[in-house]
Amino acid sequence: MLQRIQTIFLLLACSAMLIACATTLGSFTYDGDRMVVEAVGVYLNGELHHFTWGLMGLGVISAILSFVSIFFFRKRKLQIRLSMFSIGFMVAFYLYFCYLLYKLTTTGNLQFVRMGAGMVMPAIAILFVVLAIRRISADEALVRSLDRLR
């Protein structure tokens, strides 16, 4: 299980999503005040302004799916399916973040200051999961080719 490269890719995707949930997603100025967006909430001048538990939930669910799919190494089709669901939750993470920014821009003047490390991590996790899916598919093709020889 741990000697397979797709296991390493899935572990890296899991850790990237956990990093995305733990670090800052972005810094903005909101009507002249400093605003920091994290997976847990939106902080305005250091005080919690708005909870974003949905964003945290999407990140944690995608990390759990990536981790759980490691243990289905004997059921490669299920492993691929779980990995695809994980990618779906990672894309939903980005979509929900965009929705939060849209909601904040309609209520006030929001200006971008800098992007945090947590904003890049879901894209890196998607890349790792895609690489893992390719390797799992290659294993499945190898097993099928060996079945034909018997």
Side-chain angles (χ1 to χ4, degrees):
M1 173 176 74
L2 285 177
Q3 67 270 19
R4 297 169 47 207
I5 189 70
Q6 53 264 37
T7 302
I8 303 300
F9 287 146
L10 289 171
L11 280 174
L12 288 172
C14 176
S15 62
M17 285 309 295
L18 291 176
I19 289 171
C21 291
T23 60
T24 301
L25 298 174
S27 297
F28 302 90
T29 57
Y30 183 72
D31 291 334
D33 295 329
R34 183 174 180 267
M35 183 175 75
V36 176
V37 179
E38 293 180 358
V40 178
V42 176
Y43 295 93
L44 192 60
N45 289 331
E47 295 180 17
L48 185 65
H49 180 264
H50 182 70
F51 284 111
T52 56
W53 290 105
L55 196 60
M56 179 72 153
L58 289 171
V60 169
I61 288 172
S62 66
I64 289 172
L65 281 175
S66 295
F67 186 73
V68 166
S69 68
I70 293 171
F71 299 104
F72 288 105
F73 58 93
R74 294 187 192 268
K75 300 176 183 177
R76 286 169 293 280
K77 289 182 182 180
L78 179 61
Q79 192 176 27
I80 290 172
R81 203 170 294 130
L82 285 175
S83 298
M84 293 294 234
F85 281 130
S86 177
I87 289 175
F89 279 108
M90 291 173 198
V91 170
F93 183 89
Y94 274 130
L95 292 175
Y96 188 61
F97 179 74
C98 291
Y99 169 73
L100 285 173
L101 291 183
Y102 173 74
K103 194 167 97 173
L104 289 170
T105 56
T106 58
T107 60
N109 187 13
L110 184 72
Q111 294 177 352
F112 177 75
V113 174
R114 96 183 150 87
M115 182 171 61
M119 203 57 221
V120 179
M121 288 299 157
I124 294 171
I126 288 171
L127 176 71
F128 283 137
V129 172
V130 168
L131 290 172
I133 288 172
R134 289 183 64 190
R135 296 301 298 234
I136 295 166
S137 299
D139 281 355
E140 181 66 23
L142 178 67
V143 168
R144 286 186 184 200
S145 71
L146 293 176
D147 282 345
R148 278 183 263 167
L149 292 175
R150 289 187 211 174

